[in-house]
Amino acid sequence: MANISAELEVEIVAADHFVWSGQATMVKARTSEGEIGILPGHTPVLAVLAAGELAIEPVSGDRITVNVDGGFFSVDSNRVVIVADNATVGDEATATR
């Protein structure tokens, strides 16, 4: 059974730069198979990331959006790792968090 916690550890990197990392309560992404929402306790997943927008609900602060051009993401033991071909934070004010 999955390790159930109230938070996800999220890390987002692009091919040539670091994008964002932190604790979150939810991550929503578009995959090649459709949209997926990740909450704490989610079963392990490895998926191809489609071009579009990621939404992250950090533990504190406003929702963060990241525009990606594709890549992949993995989920295991409340850790979400997103490796994008290219990624930019939707609101540059959140890039320093």
Side-chain angles (χ1 to χ4, degrees):
M1 185 165 154
N3 178 20
I4 297 178
S5 171
E7 299 176 354
L8 299 166
E9 180 182 337
V10 181
E11 183 173 351
I12 304 171
V13 296
D16 61 349
H17 65 281
F18 170 82
V19 179
W20 187 87
S21 71
Q23 301 295 315
T25 57
M26 189 261 321
V27 176
K28 185 174 141 184
R30 179 173 291 139
T31 72
S32 59
E33 300 294 319
E35 288 195 12
I36 187 169
I38 306 297
L39 298 171
H42 199 285
T43 59
V45 172
L46 179 61
V48 174
L49 194 60
E53 184 177 275
L54 299 172
I56 303 160
E57 292 288 343
V59 170
S60 61
D62 296 330
R63 175 182 276 203
I64 297 167
T65 58
V66 179
N67 296 306
V68 298
D69 290 342
F72 74 91
F73 78 90
S74 68
V75 178
D76 192 18
S77 300
N78 287 333
R79 180 168 166 78
V80 180
V81 177
I82 299 164
V83 179
D85 297 332
N86 188 30
T88 55
V89 177
D91 178 2
E92 291 301 320
T94 62
T96 59
R97 288 194 179 166

